[in-house]
Amino acid sequence: MSESFHFQKMMMNPNFQKVMMKPAKPERNPFIIFSFFFILFLCAIASINGVRIDTIMKFGGCTFFSHNSSSSDDFLTLNFTSDPADDDIRILIGILTLPDQYHRRNFLRMIYGTQSPAGAKVDVKFVFCNLTKEDQKVLVALEIMRYDDIIILNCTENMNNGKTYTYFSSLPEMLNSTEGPSPPYHYVMKADDDTYLRLDNLVESMRPLPREDLYYGYVIPCPSMDPFVHYMSGMGYLVSWDIVEWIRVSEIPKKHMEGPEDKVFGDWIREGRRGKNRHTAKWAMYNYPEPPTRCTHELWPNTIAVHLLKNQEKWIQTLNYFNVTQNLKPSKLYHIP
């Protein structure tokens, strides 16, 4: 048969006619391409305006972006101007020490690294002036790489000639940032490296207190319970962030730096009419019981700070009293009676 005969026979087939008469589906490729580029455009606009990724995802349009958890967290953090958990207390504790005190710092890292106060962010940093020796430059750099808990001030090492001023006045420039909470800390503390701070009790004592114009510590003289009389002991005193900002800009501290640093600090507060809110934590803060003085008493459970732990024996007796190893987990790897 000829090809024309076969064609005529196919045309006469009813099924073939239904197929041929069925309208063709419109071409969808242009619509798909347009939609794809429109979604890209929306995602680009959202990124420019800092819209959170989870908001964009509601539209189902940006699922083709891949990211790990850390990069996502970093992106989201940039969009916060305040702490998402602002009810949590933020405290910076600066322990003033010396560059060569490597063993003391490692010991204190154990002391504070095993404390985790609930509902608070407490950062403990070690503070000293510029490094002067080659071994310090290597060993302190290794400490920073490993622990990231050191602040090096631009000063010559001293005790009562401006180190405390440099510490407080340097913090706003070091810590203020558009990327983190504002203020970076509610409170800043200066503490000695022979003071044992019990962070849970410290945080609990801070909860009912104001977060502005606050001056807190162990009031001197020792028999006094009136925080407005003189000043707070250098064992550990704390101020709110607004006072830290004031120290940075005020001329009062700049003109009066020499002398016992805790007394000098109290002079600044008095002359600047700061610290309208004051709190003495006495007798939850005190000197070690021996030798007995008017600033000492026996160790007791409600302690916030014990001062003058000048040797290993006093530290061990104090840590034993507070049973700091009670949460040691049993293991086949060790046996401690």
Side-chain angles (χ1 to χ4, degrees), residues 13-271:
N13 189 316
N15 293 330
F16 182 80
Q17 291 177 3
K18 291 180 180 179
V19 173
M20 294 299 294
M21 293 176 64
K22 187 176 181 179
K25 294 182 180 180
E27 180 64 43
R28 295 186 179 182
N29 286 341
F31 177 77
I32 295 173
I33 294 173
F34 172 80
S35 300
F36 178 79
F37 281 104
F38 182 71
I39 291 170
L40 281 177
F41 174 76
L42 288 178
C43 293
I45 293 297
S47 298
I48 293 172
N49 287 280
V51 178
R52 291 184 57 170
I53 290 177
D54 55 355
T55 304
I56 302 170
M57 294 291 285
K58 292 179 182 178
F59 297 98
C62 295
T63 56
F64 50 82
F65 285 111
S66 62
H67 58 275
N68 56 39
S69 60
S70 61
S71 61
S72 174
D73 291 342
D74 290 342
F75 176 83
L76 298 181
T77 300
L78 293 176
N79 296 308
F80 285 113
T81 56
S82 61
D83 192 338
D86 201 49
D87 289 338
D88 290 354
I89 296 175
R90 300 189 297 275
I91 304 175
L92 172 64
I93 300 175
I95 299 177
L96 271 60
T97 184
L98 300 173
D100 289 332
Q101 294 283 358
Y102 305 108
H103 296 299
R104 174 58 60 90
R105 286 196 291 277
N106 286 327
F107 177 72
L108 293 175
R109 285 185 181 112
M110 290 191 293
I111 299 299
Y112 295 116
T114 52
Q115 300 186 55
S116 300
K121 173 183 168 60
V122 181
D123 290 337
V124 178
K125 305 286 187 181
F126 299 100
V127 182
F128 42 81
C129 292
N130 288 321
L131 307 180
T132 58
K133 305 175 185 177
E134 287 302 316
D135 63 325
Q136 292 174 353
K137 296 175 184 178
V138 174
L139 297 177
V140 172
L142 288 172
E143 284 185 272
I144 294 172
M145 293 168 64
R146 176 62 181 87
Y147 301 107
D148 192 24
D149 61 359
I150 287 176
I151 296 175
I152 302 178
L153 305 173
N154 185 20
C155 57
T156 301
E157 198 59 61
N158 68 90
M159 179 181 295
N160 295 315
N161 194 25
K163 182 176 180 178
T164 297
Y165 168 76
T166 305
Y167 165 56
F168 281 101
S169 64
S170 300
L171 291 177
E173 184 177 356
M174 290 179 176
L175 301 176
N176 277 336
S177 171
T178 58
E179 299 179 5
S182 180
Y185 295 96
H186 298 117
Y187 308 106
V188 174
M189 187 177 219
K190 174 266 167 184
D192 288 344
D193 63 3
D194 61 350
T195 298
Y196 171 50
L197 292 166
R198 302 181 72 214
L199 301 184
D200 278 314
N201 287 4
L202 173 65
V203 169
E204 288 307 310
S205 73
M206 301 301 303
R207 291 196 189 282
L209 301 182
R211 293 186 177 180
E212 293 184 351
D213 207 20
L214 178 70
Y215 183 30
Y216 169 110
Y218 175 99
V219 67
I220 297 295
C222 294
S224 174
M225 295 296 289
D226 184 356
F228 290 89
V229 174
H230 289 290
Y231 59 94
M232 303 298 181
S233 165
M235 71 167 75
Y237 54 84
L238 176 151
V239 293
S240 52
W241 183 258
D242 58 300
I243 292 182
V244 176
E245 292 274 16
W246 172 78
I247 292 172
R248 179 178 65 92
V249 299
S250 174
E251 293 298 317
I252 292 174
K254 296 177 184 177
K255 296 176 181 178
H256 178 26
M257 294 190 192
E258 294 187 9
E261 59 89 17
D262 49 2
K263 182 180 182 302
V264 168
F265 191 95
D267 292 342
W268 302 341
I269 297 296
R270 185 184 65 258
E271 293 174 28

Side-chain angles (χ1 to χ4, degrees), residues 216-226 279-286 294-295 297 300 304:
Y216 169 110
Y218 175 99
V219 67
I220 297 295
C222 294
S224 174
M225 295 296 289
D226 184 356
H279 179 80
T280 178
K282 193 182 291 184
W283 284 95
M285 300 175 74
Y286 51 90
R294 301 182 78 184
C295 295
H297 68 68
W300 67 336
I304 293 174

